[in-house]
C-alpha cells in the first residue's frame, strides 16, 4: 500500500505493538479456551502440543493478554469517555449502517460505538481476569464454590468477548481504510475527515 506523506498519524509503533500483542494472545486463548469449553473443539488442543500443554499454556497467555490490555486501557481511557455527541451518534447508528453517514454528529478520535466496545471489552477483561485466577488451581486453592462460580463466569465472559472481537474485526474491514491504521499507524485525510471530523480538525489544524 502506498502511503501519502500527507497522511495523518493515528497510532505510534508501541501502540500498534500493544494492540497486536493483545490480538495474538486473544486468538490463542480463544482457540485453547474453546477446546476446554466443548468436546467438539477438543482437537484444537493439538495446536498447542496436546491437551496437557494447552491447559498449562492457557492461563499464562491470559496473564500476558491481561497485562497488555491494562496498558492499553490506561493509554486510551481518557479518549473513551462518553459525551452527549457519542450518545447522539449511537442513536443515529442505524443511519450509518444503512449507508448514510454524512449526517452523523462530529466525533473525536473514537466514535460512540468504539467507546462502547472499549468499555465492554474492559468489563469482560476484568471478569475474565478475576474468574481466571479463581479457577487456576495449579497456583491457587480457592473454595470449590468460588471455583465453580469462576468457571461459569469465565466461560460466559469468554463467549461475550469472542462475539465483541468478531464485531470489532468486522467493523475494521467494513469501514474501508481502517485496518491500515494498525498496520502502518496512519490514515488518509479523507478517511479522518469523513469518520472522525473532530479528531481531523484537531490534528490537522483545519
Amino acid at each position: 500500500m502506498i502511503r501519502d506523506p500527507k497522511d495523518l498519524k493515528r497510532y505510534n509503533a508501541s501502540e500498534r505493538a500493544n494492540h497486536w500483542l493483545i490480538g495474538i494472545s486473544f486468538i490463542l486463548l480463544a482457540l485453547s479456551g474453546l477446546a476446554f469449553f466443548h468436546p467438539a473443539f477438543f482437537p484444537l488442543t493439538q495446536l498447542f502440543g496436546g491437551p496437557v500443554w494447552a491447559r498449562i499454556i492457557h492461563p499464562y497467555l491470559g496473564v500476558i493478554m491481561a497485562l497488555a490490555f491494562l496498558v492499553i486501557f490506561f493509554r486510551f481511557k481518557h479518549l473513551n469517555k462518553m459525551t452527549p455527541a457519542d450518545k447522539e451518534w449511537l442513536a443515529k447508528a442505524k443511519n450509518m449502517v444503512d449507508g448514510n453517514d454524512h449526517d452523523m454528529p462530529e466525533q473525536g478520535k473514537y466514535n460512540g460505538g468504539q467507546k462502547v466496545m472499549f468499555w465492554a471489552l474492559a468489563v469482560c477483561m476484568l471478569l475474565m481476569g478475576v474468574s481466571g485466577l479463581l479457577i487456576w488451581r495449579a497456583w491457587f486453592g480457592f473454595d470449590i464454590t468460588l471455583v465453580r462460580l469462576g468457571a461459569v463466569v469465565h466461560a460466559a465472559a469468554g463467549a461475550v468477548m469472542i462475539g465483541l472481537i468478531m464485531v470489532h474485526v468486522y467493523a475494521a474491514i467494513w469501514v474501508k481504510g481502517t485496518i491500515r491504521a494498525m498496520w502502518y499507524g496512519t490514515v488518509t485525510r479523507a478517511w479522518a475527515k469523513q469518520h472522525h471530523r473532530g479528531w481531523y480538525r484537531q490534528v490537522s489544524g483545519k
Side-chain angles (χ1 to χ4, degrees), residues 44-128:
L44 291 173
T45 59
Q46 298 307 311
L47 296 173
F48 302 88
V52 174
W53 275 110
R55 183 68 187 87
I56 293 171
I57 293 170
H58 182 86
Y60 289 102
L61 287 171
V63 171
I64 292 171
M65 185 174 76
L67 293 176
F69 188 89
L70 196 62
V71 172
I72 219 167
F73 175 81
F74 285 109
R75 267 180 163 170
F76 296 118
K77 67 171 185 169
H78 67 286
L79 294 171
N80 283 277
K81 294 178 180 178
M82 296 297 291
T83 67
D86 295 322
K87 295 175 182 178
E88 183 183 354
W89 188 96
L90 291 169
K92 294 183 177 180
K94 186 178 183 302
N95 295 338
M96 185 194 65
V97 173
D98 291 338
N100 178 23
D101 61 350
H102 298 290
D103 296 325
M104 300 297 288
E106 186 174 284
Q107 295 288 283
K109 189 167 185 176
Y110 300 111
N111 61 43
Q114 291 170 310
K115 291 180 179 181
V116 169
M117 176 67 71
F118 177 86
W119 291 109
L121 287 173
V123 171
C124 282
M125 278 301 308
L126 178 62
L127 292 174
M128 293 283 285

Side-chain angles (χ1 to χ4, degrees), residues 16 32 75 94 97 122-123 132-133 137 142 165 167 188 192:
R16 299 198 307 277
S32 54
R75 267 180 163 170
K94 186 178 183 302
V97 173
V123 171
L133 291 176
R137 304 191 77 180
F142 293 104
I165 294 299
V167 172
T188 64

Side-chain angles (χ1 to χ4, degrees), residues 114-190:
Q114 291 170 310
K115 291 180 179 181
V116 169
M117 176 67 71
F118 177 86
W119 291 109
L121 287 173
V123 171
C124 282
M125 278 301 308
L126 178 62
L127 292 174
M128 293 283 285
V130 173
S131 61
L133 291 176
L134 290 176
I135 61 177
W136 197 358
R137 304 191 77 180
W139 288 100
F140 304 102
F142 293 104
D143 180 77
I144 188 62
T145 302
L146 288 176
V147 173
R148 289 170 177 169
L149 177 62
V152 173
V153 171
H154 203 72
V160 172
M161 197 166 185
I162 289 173
L164 290 172
I165 294 299
M166 289 174 68
V167 172
H168 175 63
V169 172
Y170 177 79
I173 296 171
W174 178 55
V175 182
K176 187 178 179 180
T178 300
I179 293 179
R180 61 175 289 171
M182 274 302 168
W183 281 122
Y184 305 115
T186 60
V187 293
T188 64
R189 289 174 178 263

